[in-house]
Amino acid sequence: MLILLQLVWLGWLLAFPVALDSDDALNFAHGVTRFSVLEFSPHFPGYPAFIWLARLINLAVDDPARAVQWASLLGTALLAPLAAWLAVRLWQRSSLLAPVWLLVLALPLTPTLALSGLSDGPALAAWLGALLALQHRKIALAGLMLGFMLALRPSYFVLALLPLWLGIGQKGTRVRFVLPIALVGLISLLFVWQADGWAYFSEGRRFTDGHFTLWGNTAAAHGDRLLSWARTFNDQLTPLWPLAVGALLMLPLWQRSKDHNTAFSPLWSLYWLALLLWTLFGQNPDNPRHLAPVTLLGIVLLAGWLPRRGEWVIAMAGLLLLAATFTLPRPPAMVLAARLAEKTCPALVTQWGVRLLRETTALPVTDGWYKGDANLALAQGACRLSRRSMSATKMPAPVKQHWFAPRFRAEPGLWLAIPDPSRQQNW
């Protein structure tokens, strides 16, 4: 039944129209036809294994946009079964399979990752696969999965901490664990080197500095972003998320008091805390998909708290939540907003999807990051596309604001502010 439900879920997402809705997804699509980090196809660090996967799919579909979206979808489709099997293995309880599987499918993050055209889903699948292989003592397979995770999404290096610790700690098998990681890493390095040479490393330093100081919107550079994370947690995990965090931190004490005979160790809770801190201080709270690692691992670890008689109650709750997630297939908010803007706007000012809009619409698009250019364009009648409603004091003339709802709660909605000529005489 779970496999059948998984196939129905996959078919439902395949029914959504292929549409890129971010600059990052567009960069990946460019990377399918021509790989160059210096040309932002894709941006640093290049994500070589994701490009390989998308190019393999592109051989069959001959459409870079479809290739990157299907690569995300196929990788994300593995998250629920892998997380469920990992929970079963960690807690030695086969009855956890259904509740964890259904809860992961029911997360708004899961379909968002599947349709994003980004590398998060496949990289998370490789990460869970590495952890699961380690639990089954498949050391060489674990090393291969970990190598692919880092090649799919090198920024997930923090996720590699516990698998590396567990794998290197296996006496007599360290070479079998490290060798696949080194091999995948060497192939990845040669792949990016043949495209950009030494300039790849210069671009990496520039990109990393910019992420943590200028445009990355991280709490490491802007302390107030921690409040934004609180709002993101509330929106995605309900206001009860502090209870889950407290339970995860108390998990080692609870397990010791219960004297559970599992493969679980306190390192897992410490590992989850490290992922949480990395997310809070090194990622952008405007993108809920960055919550995926801590959310998936949190579900796996909290599954052990379920009383044995309550597992099917949680499974039914997950099934109901999954039903509530279903929506009719439609394009993302970015595509719908761009369609209306092309019909009603002489020009557009935005900070979201600037390159995407410039390449997919005929409108002059001004990057809202440059305040002077943005104010000049707005004064000349341009529309404003934003993730937040624009107050009247920030616009040079009266506007009508149109809201484009997201397909899932983990996707951003968009506001399009269009100048209103009928009200300008009274302004």
Side-chain angles (χ1 to χ4, degrees):
M1 289 299 295
L2 288 172
I3 294 175
L4 179 61
L5 182 62
Q6 180 81 27
L7 292 175
V8 170
W9 180 86
L10 184 61
W12 167 60
L13 291 180
L14 284 171
F16 279 76
V18 174
L20 304 178
D21 66 342
S22 69
D23 282 350
D24 290 344
L26 178 68
N27 293 340
F28 279 123
H30 285 318
V32 173
T33 55
R34 173 178 168 79
F35 178 86
S36 174
V37 171
L38 298 182
E39 298 175 12
F40 268 53
S41 57
H43 61 68
F44 183 85
Y47 311 89
F50 187 73
I51 295 298
W52 302 338
L53 177 60
R55 285 183 174 181
L56 184 63
I57 296 174
N58 194 52
L59 294 176
V61 301
D62 195 24
D63 179 2
R66 187 180 299 274
V68 296
Q69 183 164 312
W70 282 14
S72 292
L73 178 55
L74 294 176
T76 306
L78 298 173
L79 296 183
L82 288 173
W85 280 113
L86 181 60
V88 168
R89 184 66 183 182
L90 271 179
W91 295 106
Q92 301 295 311
R93 288 168 59 183
S94 59
S95 55
L96 292 177
L97 185 68
V100 173
W101 193 315
L102 292 171
L103 283 176
V104 172
L105 281 185
L107 287 174
L109 283 168
T110 310
T112 299
L113 294 178
L115 298 178
S116 66
L118 303 177
S119 63
D120 303 63
L124 289 167
W127 171 57
L128 292 173
L131 291 172
L132 188 58
L134 285 169
Q135 298 305 307
H136 286 278
R137 301 293 191 269
K138 305 291 185 181
I139 303 303
L141 178 61
L144 185 62
M145 289 294 99
L146 193 57
F148 274 122
M149 183 204 79
L150 293 172
L152 283 161
R153 192 168 183 82
S155 56
Y156 273 177
F157 66 93
V158 178
L159 276 66
L161 294 178
L162 182 62
L164 281 174
W165 179 272
L166 296 175
I168 294 176
Q170 301 288 333
K171 294 182 179 180
T173 59
R174 292 173 183 172
V175 174
R176 287 197 292 131
F177 177 71
V178 174
L179 188 59
I181 300 175
L183 183 60
V184 174
L186 179 60
I187 295 173
S188 301
L189 180 60
L190 292 175
F191 180 72
V192 299
W193 177 271
Q194 57 83 29
D196 297 318
W198 284 107
Y200 172 81
F201 300 99
S202 299
E203 169 61 16
R205 183 172 61 252
R206 184 204 66 82
F207 186 91
T208 304
D209 289 345
H211 175 77
F212 285 104
T213 58
L214 293 176
W215 40 261
N217 290 327
T218 64
H222 312 283
D224 58 344
R225 300 300 285 165
L226 289 175
L227 296 177
S228 299
W229 271 121
R231 290 192 292 271
T232 302
F233 271 93
N234 287 341
D235 292 341
Q236 302 302 317
L237 305 175
T238 79
L240 298 177
W241 62 267
L243 296 178
V245 172
L248 284 163
L249 296 179
M250 295 296 294
L251 195 56
L253 296 177
W254 172 80
Q255 187 196 357
R256 181 175 297 180
S257 67
K258 295 291 185 180
D259 193 26
H260 286 285
N261 183 26
T262 69
F264 185 88
S265 79
L267 279 177
W268 288 82
S269 291
L270 186 62
Y271 177 51
W272 182 88
L273 180 60
L275 296 185
L276 176 64
L277 293 176
W278 163 248
T279 302
L280 294 179
F281 289 95
Q283 302 294 341
N284 184 357
D286 289 333
N287 295 323
R289 60 187 175 86
H290 292 310
L291 284 178
V294 293
T295 303
L296 288 174
L297 185 60
I299 289 175
V300 170
L301 297 184
L302 286 175
W305 287 74
L306 289 177
R308 294 187 180 273
R309 293 184 178 181
E311 290 162 345
W312 286 105
V313 174
I314 298 300
M316 292 304 299
L319 192 59
L320 292 174
L321 290 173
L322 179 59
T325 304
F326 276 82
T327 182
L328 291 177
R330 66 178 190 272
M334 176 65 77
V335 173
L336 298 177
R339 289 176 183 174
L340 180 59
E342 280 195 296
K343 295 177 181 178
T344 58
C345 300
L348 195 62
V349 175
T350 183
Q351 287 178 257
W352 309 104
V354 175
R355 186 180 183 186
L356 176 68
L357 291 167
R358 285 173 176 170
E359 294 195 18
T360 57
T361 70
L363 293 172
V365 179
T366 299
D367 191 343
W369 177 265
Y370 302 100
K371 302 299 183 183
D373 293 347
N375 291 335
L376 179 60
L378 291 173
Q380 294 175 347
C383 300
R384 185 72 162 91
L385 184 65
S386 174
R387 288 191 180 183
R388 297 173 180 84
S389 177
M390 302 298 295
S391 65
T393 58
K394 293 184 178 180
M395 301 298 292
V399 295
K400 288 183 178 179
Q401 300 203 58
H402 298 262
W403 166 246
F404 297 90
R407 297 172 294 184
F408 314 105
R409 283 177 49 203
E411 279 187 347
L414 291 172
W415 289 91
L416 180 64
I418 302 175
D420 185 2
S422 65
R423 295 172 55 197
Q424 289 184 3
Q425 293 180 351
N426 300 326
W427 182 255

